[in-house]
Amino acid sequence: MSTPEIVIPASLLPADGRFGCGPSKVRPEAVEALASVGRTWLGTSHRQRPVLDEVGRLRTDLRTLFGLPEGYEVVLGNGGSTVFWDVATFGLIERRSQHCVFGEFSSKFAAASAEAPHLEAPSIVRSEPGTRPVPVADDDVDLYALTHNETSTGVMMPVVRPRHPDGRAASGLVAVDATSGAGALPVEPADFDAYYFAPQKVFASDGGLWIALLSPAAVERVGAIKASGRWQPASLDLSIALDNSRKDQTYNTPALATIFLMRQQVAWLLDNGGLSWSAARSAESARIVYDWAAASDYATPFVADPAHRSTVVATIDLDDRVDAQEVSRVLRANGIVDTDAYRKLGRNQLRIGLFPAIEPADVAAFTRCVDFVVAALG
Ligand SMILES: *Cc1c(COP(=O)(O)O)cnc(C)c1O
């Protein structure tokens, strides 16, 4: 190991230096629990009772965490949220979608549906990075694509059904990319039809899986598209994923460690008080980091409107006198990792995850470490 040229005093350092937005900090207790079942869990069949039962418990715990009413389904498949965009393009969008685009992730789903030969050109409601768009009710749209938290910019958006000017709720399905918000942002099942995410952010596990909470209307849409005879690759076919999930399975082999670690995290969230507890914990971390930036003479929250600032991913601009990449490099050399801005955003910025696994006290320590590094860089 080489000695960093700027050494942050141990008394300032956080207990855990992982501040990435995904993969994000996995709680050591969950890793220990995995190690303790290593011989009976890892390397065993995903079609046998122990794994089926654990998938079943994970599905039940997610129902509890999100307060899902009767008729909602918890569906799992391989490939992460990016693959779910393709799944939705085949199995949830009937003819034409509308996409609220306000950063890199929301633009990718819009691109997937725009390129699909079986769909009409989508409606796009765009806003500048750092702001958020408002969906527009449109009778010609059968699915509204929202993003609960735009991880590339640190802007969060409320999950609400679009309404026509006369107050009538839009008839299309509401599909929400909640990859970095699910489990730490408030949401009501009545407000969505598909709420999908992956385990490597709030759920403090590894990547590679997608999880979708589907309303009865979404389940009906899946059946109708299947019945229409539209060609869908089997691995992206939501009706096949739904059939398998109802039997606590996935269509093909999942990563068993990912499932185990995710269930550890969901159980931990429930033990501590559930969604309201985790949302409050992330909001506390957010208050610490935004208050620090507001008081700093070189740091500013990137998102101008305080109500739009994410409580799960903070983006902090540094002024031109300070090189954010250099700050992140020194932090990394001191064990504080993954604080870099989203590369394509191209700003002089630090970005950190505020997920519930991260201690608010460590977020406070992070701000003190940044102050120390900036002073040392002079
Ligand atoms: C991380 C992220 C994704 C991509 O997730 P993968 O599991 O890597 O495909 C998509 N959307 C949002 C909002 C994200 O934060």
Side-chain angles (χ1 to χ4, degrees):
M1 254 178 54
S2 65
T3 314
E5 64 273 44
I6 295 173
V7 180
I8 302 175
S11 61
L12 292 184
L13 290 172
D16 196 299
R18 291 173 289 176
F19 292 96
C21 295
S24 64
K25 178 185 169 188
V26 179
R27 287 180 315 108
E29 296 82 357
V31 178
E32 277 157 29
L34 176 60
S36 75
V37 299
R39 282 172 178 252
T40 51
W41 176 261
L42 297 175
T44 71
S45 169
H46 66 297
R47 304 283 183 213
Q48 294 297 329
R49 223 50 262 174
V51 175
L52 300 182
D53 288 347
E54 183 71 0
V55 171
R57 285 188 290 266
L58 176 61
R59 293 178 67 232
T60 302
D61 283 356
L62 287 170
R63 298 193 77 85
T64 308
L65 185 68
F66 290 101
L68 296 186
E70 201 64 38
Y72 278 65
E73 297 276 357
V74 179
V75 188
L76 290 82
N78 281 315
S81 292
T82 301
V83 164
F84 192 80
W85 294 326
D86 297 325
V87 168
T89 299
F90 276 109
L92 271 182
I93 305 172
E94 195 165 288
R95 193 177 53 79
R96 183 163 183 258
S97 50
Q98 180 181 100
H99 298 260
C100 282
V101 173
F102 55 125
E104 190 60 21
F105 292 106
S106 43
S107 77
K108 283 186 172 162
F109 186 17
S113 90
E115 285 163 17
H118 58 279
L119 299 177
E120 290 178 20
S123 146
I124 307 285
V125 187
R126 197 182 295 275
S127 82
E128 286 306 305
T131 69
R132 70 191 189 198
V134 178
V136 181
D138 179 347
D139 285 330
D140 200 37
V141 158
D142 61 68
L143 181 141
Y144 296 87
L146 312 183
T147 302
H148 209 171
N149 183 72
E150 186 33 275
T151 318
S152 65
T153 62
V155 174
M156 60 183 184
M157 142 185 277
V159 175
V160 282
R161 288 188 185 275
R163 290 193 175 273
H164 292 278
D166 63 6
R168 190 167 45 98
S171 60
L173 301 181
V174 173
V176 185
D177 177 354
T179 308
S180 57
L185 291 182
V187 70
E188 288 297 330
D191 294 327
F192 63 74
D193 296 296
Y195 190 76
Y196 59 93
F197 45 90
Q200 73 275 23
K201 308 205 179 179
V202 171
F203 294 105
S205 177
D206 242 332
L209 204 67
W210 57 258
I211 299 96
L213 315 179
L214 300 184
S215 74
V219 171
E220 195 183 311
R221 173 73 61 84
V222 171
I225 291 177
K226 184 70 176 172
S228 76
R230 175 188 288 172
W231 175 75
Q232 306 182 52
S235 64
L236 302 177
D237 185 327
L238 199 43
S239 70
I240 293 178
L242 181 58
D243 287 346
N244 277 278
S245 297
R246 283 173 169 156
K247 294 180 232 156
D248 296 327
Q249 304 198 23
T250 46
Y251 176 57
N252 66 318
T253 316
L256 299 189
T258 302
I259 288 172
F260 185 91
L261 292 172
M262 178 169 184
R263 167 124 143 97
Q264 289 288 311
Q265 182 71 355
V266 176
W268 181 74
L269 295 177
L270 287 174
D271 284 349
N272 279 291
L275 197 52
S276 57
W277 175 80
S278 64
R281 184 166 156 96
S282 286
E284 184 190 348
S285 290
R287 189 184 46 72
I288 291 167
V289 73
Y290 294 129
D291 283 357
W292 159 77
S296 162
D297 60 3
Y298 65 87
T300 324
F302 167 50
V303 180
D305 187 333
H308 300 186
R309 283 176 199 156
S310 172
T311 54
V312 280
V313 170
T315 46
I316 304 294
D317 278 350
L318 304 188
D319 79 22
D320 293 344
R321 292 168 295 153
V322 185
D323 179 350
Q325 280 185 358
E326 185 65 7
V327 173
S328 280
R329 193 191 60 73
V330 175
L331 290 172
R332 178 174 289 279
N334 283 271
I336 298 171
V337 302
D338 303 336
T339 62
D340 320 71
Y342 192 79
R343 31 190 173 89
K344 286 197 193 152
L345 193 59
R347 294 189 72 89
N348 190 43
Q349 185 174 94
L350 301 176
R351 181 183 67 146
I352 62 162
L354 307 170
F355 303 131
I358 295 166
E359 295 293 331
D362 278 354
V363 173
F366 161 82
T367 65
R368 289 191 290 269
C369 289
V370 174
D371 283 342
F372 180 88
V373 171
V374 169
L377 286 170

